[in-house]
Amino acid sequence: MHPTVVLTFSYFPLKTYPPSKPAKAPIVGPLLWVHPPPPSVPGKESILSADVECLKWQAHISLRGLRDVSVRWDVSQEGALGGRLPNLQVPSERANDVDGELLSAQSILAWIDEKVGPLDDQEGYKDSKSRDESHAWIALLEGDVHAALALAQPLPSFFYHAVLQLPPSTTQRPVETILSPPPAPLSGFSSLLPPYGARLSPNAIAARYRDAVAALSECLGQHEWFLGSPYRTTALDAAAFAYLHVLLHAEDDLRIEVARRANLVHWERRVYERVRSAFVQYKIPQ
């Protein structure tokens, strides 16, 4: 070896280290991956996701009676199955499989049924009429209410989106795909241009949102659960809690519309305690 090379290595010796293995704890219980909770003041940290879709599944799990479910929000949606949260990580039946099995949101309901038993033919509602009616109420939440919520979300800045090219923190569908019927395009038969875009009227969306909240308040009335269900296991109750909780922490225009209806506020607070108590924060192994 050339003397110059030997001299160089004497000043900069080559050192080798054993491969770094990240700490990994075996999955011994259900672990739900969600979008992060909203920012909170110290001492009042939330464990419930700020994303309505993730929160809906947290409500599903808790209202079906499951407890001690761990939750983590340090995994971005790019690391989830199909690039969408929530995901549920459960222990594997295979020996020596510490990572467990990862389930998409579409598989969570089947996992719940396996753990606590499937619902009856009425899906937890008091009768088939209420079961069928619930589909319309869920569509109202996922349509008019979700559209108002989506419209109120701030758009990523040009620097964030175009320069940094960072993905959004949550998966947000365009408002025009949420509304039913969809809004008219910006151009139509009278235009030389093919149909494109959508004519979104914020005032019309706000009016439909106000009507939806008023109808939801009447639907609940003084019942313990929506549509007078004798159980706390219905899909409507889970969806209603998710939307009401997010709305009560949203901008004033959305929050006030819910806050002025006492039965919705009291119902959300009561269900919040049930949902919150079902989860514990996952501790990342050091």
Side-chain angles (χ1 to χ4, degrees):
M1 184 176 293
H2 195 277
T4 304
V5 177
V6 175
L7 181 62
T8 302
F9 274 106
S10 67
Y11 286 105
F12 304 100
L14 179 62
K15 294 183 179 181
T16 59
Y17 298 90
S20 176
K21 295 182 178 180
K24 180 183 293 187
I27 299 298
V28 296
L31 174 60
L32 189 67
W33 301 4
V34 300
H35 284 288
S40 54
V41 297
K44 294 184 178 180
E45 293 81 3
S46 175
I47 203 170
L48 301 184
S49 175
D51 177 72
V52 70
E53 190 63 28
C54 292
L55 185 53
K56 189 186 305 180
W57 283 108
Q58 286 188 276
H60 265 294
I61 290 171
S62 61
L63 296 182
R64 291 289 295 276
L66 293 168
R67 291 292 181 269
D68 298 322
V69 177
S70 299
V71 61
R72 67 184 302 176
W73 50 83
D74 60 319
V75 180
S76 67
Q77 61 185 4
E78 290 74 27
L81 288 177
R84 294 182 65 89
L85 293 170
N87 282 177
L88 181 66
Q89 193 174 7
V90 296
S92 174
E93 297 180 356
R94 298 190 298 269
N96 302 321
D97 185 359
V98 298
D99 292 328
E101 181 182 5
L102 194 60
L103 306 177
S104 64
Q106 291 78 6
S107 301
I108 294 178
L109 188 57
W111 175 82
I112 296 174
D113 289 343
E114 181 182 344
K115 290 297 179 182
V116 301
L119 296 172
D120 55 22
D121 293 339
Q122 311 305 334
E123 299 177 6
Y125 300 96
K126 61 182 180 180
D127 50 39
S128 58
K129 180 181 178 182
S130 297
R131 179 199 61 198
D132 296 339
E133 184 182 348
S134 72
H135 301 159
W137 287 107
I138 292 176
L140 184 71
L141 289 168
E142 296 179 346
D144 292 351
V145 175
H146 198 110
L149 194 59
L151 196 64
Q153 298 299 316
L155 295 176
S157 66
F158 175 81
F159 180 78
Y160 183 93
H161 180 72
V163 180
L164 298 181
Q165 295 185 346
L166 295 175
S169 58
T170 60
T171 304
Q172 190 66 264
R173 290 184 295 157
V175 177
E176 58 267 24
T177 66
I178 299 172
L179 293 172
S180 180
L186 289 173
S187 63
F189 296 110
S190 61
S191 173
L192 297 176
L193 299 174
Y196 75 98
R199 295 181 184 274
L200 290 176
S201 170
N203 290 336
I205 292 175
R208 291 171 65 168
Y209 168 71
R210 290 192 295 270
D211 291 344
V213 173
L216 199 66
S217 177
E218 292 182 9
C219 175
L220 177 61
Q222 300 303 315
H223 295 300
E224 185 177 5
W225 303 103
F226 278 91
L227 297 179
S229 172
Y231 311 111
R232 59 175 184 270
T233 56
T234 70
L236 176 56
D237 289 313
F241 169 76
Y243 280 100
L244 291 175
H245 181 77
V246 171
L247 289 168
L248 285 170
H249 292 81
E251 295 181 355
D252 283 348
D253 289 346
L254 297 178
R255 180 183 57 81
I256 292 173
E257 199 61 38
V258 176
R260 60 195 292 260
R261 287 163 171 92
N263 64 334
L264 294 182
V265 174
H266 294 159
W267 185 88
E268 187 275 338
R269 288 177 179 172
R270 177 173 60 84
V271 178
Y272 169 82
E273 296 301 329
R274 295 179 182 272
V275 177
R276 171 63 183 84
S277 63
F279 296 94
V280 295
Q281 183 176 354
Y282 174 70
K283 301 298 184 182
I284 301 176
Q286 301 297 324

